[in-house]
């Protein structure tokens, strides 16, 4: 299942560009974009600002740009629930 592999890849790395995902999984960029959009709609990843693939971006970027996707970490605090003792009733 490609979606699960891409999810695990982003969880492990924290973030990756569209081109990184496409190259890593040896898939077309459109296929990678489809999978990333799936996780984005689920609220699991978010798209960051594009990066220049040639390295140092300025006004004259010679390489194309590739969006970067970041895994959304949700730290859900544990709730403490009081336990009932044998003598208590509802």
């Amino acid at each position: 299942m490609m979606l699960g592999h891409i999810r695990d890849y982003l969880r492990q790395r924290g973030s990756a560009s569209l081109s990184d995902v496409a190259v890593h999984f040896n898939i077309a960029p459109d296929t990678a974009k489809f999978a990333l959009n799936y996780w984005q709609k689920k609220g699991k990843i978010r798209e960051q600002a594009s990066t220049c693939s040639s390295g140092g971006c300025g006004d004259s970027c010679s390489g194309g740009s590739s969006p970067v996707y970041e895994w959304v970490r949700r730290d859900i605090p544990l709730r403490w629930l009081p336990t009932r003792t044998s003598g208590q009733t509802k």
Side-chain angles (χ1 to χ4, degrees), residues 15-86:
S15 66
S17 70
L18 173 63
S19 58
D20 288 340
V21 173
V23 168
H24 180 80
F25 291 101
N26 195 27
I27 57 177
D30 287 343
T31 305
K33 180 76 170 165
F34 177 82
L36 291 165
N37 282 340
Y38 171 83
W39 289 116
Q40 192 173 9
K41 288 177 184 175
K42 294 278 189 182
K44 302 295 183 182
I45 65 173
R46 66 177 156 237
E47 188 175 343
Q48 299 295 318
S50 295
T51 59
C52 181
S53 62
S54 66
C57 255
D59 290 334
S60 58
C61 182
S62 59
S65 63
S66 180
V68 174
Y69 294 87
E70 178 183 34
W71 184 257
V72 176
R73 291 183 178 86
R74 291 204 167 93
D75 296 327
I76 301 172
L78 296 175
R79 283 188 352 180
W80 177 78
L81 298 174
T83 58
R84 294 188 193 137
T85 59
S86 59

